[in-house]
Amino acid sequence: MEGLSLILKHVFIIGMYIFLGNVLRALYTDINKDPLGAIDESIGQLMVVSGDERIKEGQAIQLSKSSLIMGRDDGCDLILGDDYVSKHHAQVLIDKGRPMLEDLGSTNGTYLNGKKISRRMVLKDGDIIKIGGITLRFRE
């Protein structure tokens, strides 16, 4: 009877170590995960070709959200200080897995590769975006 009791104690102790190991592995995996998952994966970046007092030439803006709203308003994701930029001027967003540029009804328009846009446009590597006096280059 004592032999069986000793075996059960050892089985119980081994089981506890296995359980604690699994808990620690799950915690480690969870801690090292990106909290926003796939939504926060980088879709590219905007390189500042010509900027203003808020964003400087050569600066890189990572596009890592489902949308990036650009404008003069302090609530925008990318605040542009140019007088020809509307409060909520334009956005870069993901639509069906593709990066898109959309004008948000701005007064002076949003330009993609020198042409004023009136609907969502797919962004390709090297595209030039002009908002007021600010010029950005999209990089995948």
Side-chain angles (χ1 to χ4, degrees):
M1 194 60 136
E2 282 188 35
L4 180 62
S5 175
L6 186 60
I7 291 173
L8 289 176
K9 284 180 187 178
H10 282 84
V11 168
F12 177 75
I13 291 171
I14 291 170
M16 289 300 294
Y17 278 113
I18 291 171
F19 173 75
L20 288 175
N22 286 335
V23 168
L24 290 174
R25 185 177 44 189
L27 284 172
Y28 177 80
T29 302
D30 194 47
I31 287 171
N32 290 312
K33 265 191 206 172
D34 184 0
L36 298 178
I39 279 180
D40 215 20
E41 290 180 10
S42 179
I43 59 165
Q45 61 183 1
L46 296 176
M47 298 296 298
V48 180
V49 176
S50 64
D52 61 19
E53 69 273 0
R54 290 193 179 238
I55 60 169
K56 304 296 179 204
E57 184 177 326
Q59 182 178 347
I61 297 107
Q62 292 299 318
L63 300 171
S64 59
K65 294 174 53 175
S66 57
S67 73
L68 177 96
I69 297 176
M70 301 173 280
R72 282 185 300 125
D73 189 80
D74 287 337
C76 290
D77 301 309
L78 181 58
I79 301 167
L80 307 173
D82 189 281
D83 289 338
Y84 292 97
V85 174
S86 297
K87 286 185 177 185
H88 296 96
H89 196 103
Q91 71 175 335
V92 175
L93 65 145
I94 302 300
D95 186 15
K96 298 177 184 163
R98 299 176 302 176
M100 308 284 281
L101 176 66
E102 178 180 32
D103 184 82
L104 298 175
S106 67
T107 303
N108 295 310
T110 301
Y111 293 81
L112 180 62
N113 298 321
K115 296 179 182 172
K116 189 173 184 178
I117 64 170
S118 58
R119 58 183 174 82
R120 284 184 183 177
M121 301 295 291
V122 176
L123 286 171
K124 297 178 287 304
D125 189 50
D127 279 349
I128 300 293
I129 301 165
K130 189 151 175 65
I131 298 172
I134 296 160
T135 305
L136 308 164
R137 174 176 282 120
F138 176 73
R139 290 286 182 208
E140 291 188 276

